[in-house]
Amino acid sequence: MAKSKLKYTPANLKKLENLFKEVGYKIIYEKGHFNSGYCIVNERKTIVVNKFYKTDTRITCLLSILNEIEVSIEGLEQETLTFYQELSY
């Protein structure tokens, strides 16, 4: 996935969270000492992000994770699919 020019807004954070939800991942915001700011529990498809991060850092973490996982576009709602495709270009 190429770098997108996504604006770091709360609305775009919600869109990213919804994308992860639709592909089966649960995002939890908790305090923790993660080297990269997040932790992925693959067996449970759970992502834990440091709750003290601001919106821009949360988005950066989620975009980084999005580059690491496989996303099946089948079954995504149209709005989510459009958002994902915008991120991909």
Side-chain angles (χ1 to χ4, degrees), residues 3-9 12-13 16 59 63 83 87:
K3 284 272 190 186
S4 67
K5 299 206 179 212
L6 181 70
K7 292 185 180 183
Y8 295 155
T9 64
N12 282 334
L13 177 59
L16 267 174
I59 289 173
L63 288 174
F83 178 69
L87 291 175

Side-chain angles (χ1 to χ4, degrees), residues 56-86:
D56 60 333
T57 310
R58 289 180 181 194
I59 289 173
T60 301
C61 285
L62 293 177
L63 288 174
S64 177
I65 294 168
L66 197 57
N67 284 325
E68 294 180 24
I69 64 171
E70 285 188 39
V71 176
S72 173
I73 60 172
E74 295 176 18
L76 291 180
E77 293 181 14
Q78 185 58 45
E79 184 178 336
T80 306
L81 177 60
T82 302
F83 178 69
Y84 179 69
Q85 289 171 336
E86 288 172 2

Side-chain angles (χ1 to χ4, degrees), residues 31-74:
K31 67 179 183 175
H33 300 287
F34 315 117
N35 289 336
S36 56
Y38 62 85
C39 173
I40 303 172
V41 184
N42 286 320
E43 299 81 33
R44 296 186 187 166
K45 286 192 162 186
T46 301
I47 299 166
V48 184
V49 178
N50 191 320
K51 76 176 185 177
F52 297 111
Y53 281 173
K54 296 182 187 284
T55 301
D56 60 333
T57 310
R58 289 180 181 194
I59 289 173
T60 301
C61 285
L62 293 177
L63 288 174
S64 177
I65 294 168
L66 197 57
N67 284 325
E68 294 180 24
I69 64 171
E70 285 188 39
V71 176
S72 173
I73 60 172
E74 295 176 18

